Amino acid sequence: MIQKLGNKLKVQIDTPNEEKLQNINFQHVVDEPDEHAVLTLGEIMTTLSPEGSALDGVVLTSQKRYTK
């Protein structure tokens, strides 16, 4: 049996003077979100970040559980 656990988005932003990427997580994302909408969300979060930040990318994670 396959049980859907959900989708998550992780927006990764490269902030100035930081070694690591800043990660902003979103839980309970709709199935198969539109690519344009996902990138627009990333751009919005980048504008809310410190000046000079740049969008590195967005990671979509889908989780399913397989049981007997």
Side-chain angles (χ1 to χ4, degrees), residues 1-63:
M1 182 169 115
I2 301 173
Q3 178 184 13
K4 185 177 176 326
L5 298 178
N7 298 323
K8 301 175 189 176
L9 281 178
K10 179 173 29 175
V11 177
Q12 297 178 316
I13 299 174
D14 187 10
T15 53
N17 303 322
E18 295 285 331
E19 287 184 27
K20 293 184 176 182
L21 295 174
Q22 176 185 6
N23 294 315
I24 303 168
N25 298 301
F26 294 90
Q27 308 291 328
H28 311 293
V29 176
V30 297
D31 289 334
E32 299 181 30
D34 179 62
E35 179 182 355
H36 179 70
V38 169
L39 292 175
T40 300
L41 174 65
E43 291 170 4
I44 291 168
M45 298 312 297
T46 302
T47 61
L48 296 173
S49 296
E51 190 173 328
S53 296
L55 177 63
D56 185 69
V58 182
V59 177
L60 171 65
T61 304
S62 297
Q63 294 180 325

